[in-house]
Amino acid sequence: MTSSTTHKILAPLAAAAVALGGLALADKLPAPASAVTQAVHTAYSPGSTTTRDREELSHVEGVSHQAAAVTGAASRAVLDYWTEERMAAAKPITSMLEGTLPLAGEDPSSGGGVEHQASPRSDSTGERWPADGLVTRTTGKVYLTMDGRDFTCTASVVDSANRSTLVTAGHCAKDGRGSWARNWTFVPAYSDGDSPYGRFTASDMLVAPQWSRQADDSYDFAMVVVNTDDGTSVQDRVGSQRIAFGSWTEEKVREGVQVYAFGYPSSSPYRGEHLHYCSGRTTPDTGGTTANGVHCDMTQGSSGGPWFTGFDTRTGRGTISSVVSFKYADDRHTQYGPRFGEAARKLYDRASRL
């Protein structure tokens, strides 16, 4: 079902613009260099296996696909684009809402509500992740350009045949009915400006047609295939998490599912420099989507972060069953994630073949 996005945050750019009645963005970020844009969309070599695979995707029902940095030159151009200055200036994907939606009862300059905890909890509302484990390596910060502006999101590495597949939110790859992202780059284990495991550029992005054509929040998920870094795949570099497509049975939806959600929230009172998490039992959305919600104060920038079921706080391993998607503007303490079902499975199956 397509819900009304006019009352949502952590939503795609077009929806956020509607929510603010077309409010223009006040600040100006560096525009993408034309040479970068041209390099990113350089055609791939005709006749190669990957070319045929990509051409086949254009005819696959249930998949909307966009090629990204599919050549070595294009990938290098994207990495060159992301200077320290551009990375520092990038805003969370719906940054036009920053400052207008502070959490109730908090002074945005105080950093309230994000204190560091001694150990993981099953009812966190957005504290900094206090442990180590696999989740700190497989979760990363995403940098992307959408309609000439630079933004941040979150993504996670999932186990796949090509060892190069990530899962994130649909609006972190495509602005609903609008533009596809460019300059898409994943930084696993990002922390306070450091890229300890390198940077990985996107070669392919896949979203469901329900997202691409209707901006349906029930399908706000994406699979992104990334290039290797110095010949090493992202999965070989940092490991991967399991992914599941049958977690949201009607019985479990009614009873609630214990989840752990991770991301790099960047809007006040967060700064986007460290991995944070929320945890708790879910409740079904009553606003017109099939998404589920969990109590969480994480803000924009956490979009696309993994929702784990069966999560082991000692090892940082779990099963990704959803991603951070949206909040309602009149309930900033509940974060929603779409159900991974057959539509998400189809994207994953196709992505893992590339």
Side-chain angles (χ1 to χ4, degrees):
M1 297 176 64
T2 303
S3 67
S4 169
T5 54
T6 59
H7 300 293
K8 290 190 173 67
I9 58 176
L10 298 177
L13 299 174
V18 172
L20 291 180
L23 179 64
L25 294 164
D27 57 337
K28 301 294 183 182
L29 298 182
S34 59
V36 172
T37 301
Q38 182 177 359
V40 169
H41 294 277
T42 300
Y44 30 83
S45 302
S48 68
T49 301
T50 53
T51 300
R52 291 194 297 270
D53 289 342
R54 290 187 174 98
E55 290 175 347
E56 178 187 346
L57 277 175
S58 65
H59 305 291
V60 174
E61 184 179 357
V63 175
S64 293
H65 166 258
Q66 176 67 36
V70 297
T71 68
S75 183
R76 288 190 295 272
V78 171
L79 293 175
D80 289 343
Y81 177 78
W82 288 113
T83 62
E84 290 185 5
E85 292 76 15
R86 279 199 173 102
M87 292 172 75
K91 302 295 184 182
I93 195 70
T94 52
S95 61
M96 65 277 290
L97 296 178
E98 185 173 4
T100 67
L101 295 171
L103 295 176
E106 288 185 355
D107 175 1
S109 65
S110 71
V114 296
E115 67 273 9
H116 193 64
Q117 298 294 323
S119 59
R121 295 170 17 193
S122 61
D123 60 349
S124 168
T125 58
E127 291 81 13
R128 182 174 167 184
W129 177 241
D132 195 4
L134 184 64
V135 68
T136 62
R137 301 190 301 276
T138 58
T139 311
K141 193 168 183 176
V142 172
Y143 292 88
L144 62 107
T145 303
M146 193 84 77
D147 292 326
R149 297 180 58 81
D150 295 334
F151 294 101
T152 65
C153 272
T154 303
S156 186
V157 185
V158 293
D159 185 45
S160 64
N162 63 12
R163 309 187 71 78
S164 298
T165 299
L166 313 178
V167 65
T168 187
H171 69 267
C172 294
K174 188 178 188 298
D175 180 21
R177 303 180 187 91
S179 303
W180 286 91
R182 298 187 176 191
N183 301 328
W184 206 98
T185 303
F186 176 67
V187 185
Y190 175 92
S191 180
D192 204 18
D194 291 335
S195 307
Y197 296 102
R199 297 185 292 167
F200 296 81
T201 60
S203 63
D204 297 271
M205 296 177 285
L206 295 80
V207 300
Q210 294 92 333
W211 177 255
S212 179
R213 300 170 189 169
Q214 304 168 30
D216 188 334
D217 292 299
S218 298
Y219 297 86
D220 185 18
F221 43 73
M223 302 293 164
V224 177
V225 180
V226 293
N227 296 299
T228 61
D229 179 36
D230 290 332
T232 302
S233 72
V234 67
Q235 188 169 329
D236 288 336
R237 182 75 56 82
V238 303
S240 63
Q241 301 282 359
R242 297 183 299 270
I243 186 168
F245 306 98
S247 301
W248 303 102
T249 65
E250 291 303 319
E251 180 180 1
K252 288 184 177 179
V253 167
R254 289 194 302 270
E255 294 177 351
V257 177
Q258 175 70 36
V259 297
Y260 284 77
F262 290 82
Y264 285 90
S266 301
S267 292
S268 181
Y270 299 88
R271 298 186 301 112
E273 294 301 313
H274 301 283
L275 186 66
H276 287 73
Y277 80 111
C278 292
S279 53
R281 297 192 71 82
T282 60
T283 56
D285 180 26
T286 58
T289 78
T290 59
N292 293 277
V294 67
H295 189 67
C296 184
D297 291 338
M298 287 198 297
T299 58
Q300 296 95 322
S302 60
S303 289
W307 272 32
F308 288 96
T309 54
F311 186 73
D312 187 335
T313 58
R314 296 168 301 172
T315 64
R317 295 178 181 272
T319 300
I320 300 176
S321 301
S322 183
V323 291
V324 176
S325 176
F326 66 87
K327 287 184 174 182
Y328 289 99
D330 59 357
D331 180 10
R332 298 155 203 165
H333 297 283
T334 305
Q335 172 196 96
Y336 290 88
R339 303 180 193 178
F340 283 3
E342 286 306 309
R345 184 196 299 275
K346 181 169 288 188
L347 297 183
Y348 168 78
D349 287 344
R350 287 293 173 170
S352 62
R353 299 181 193 178
L354 294 172

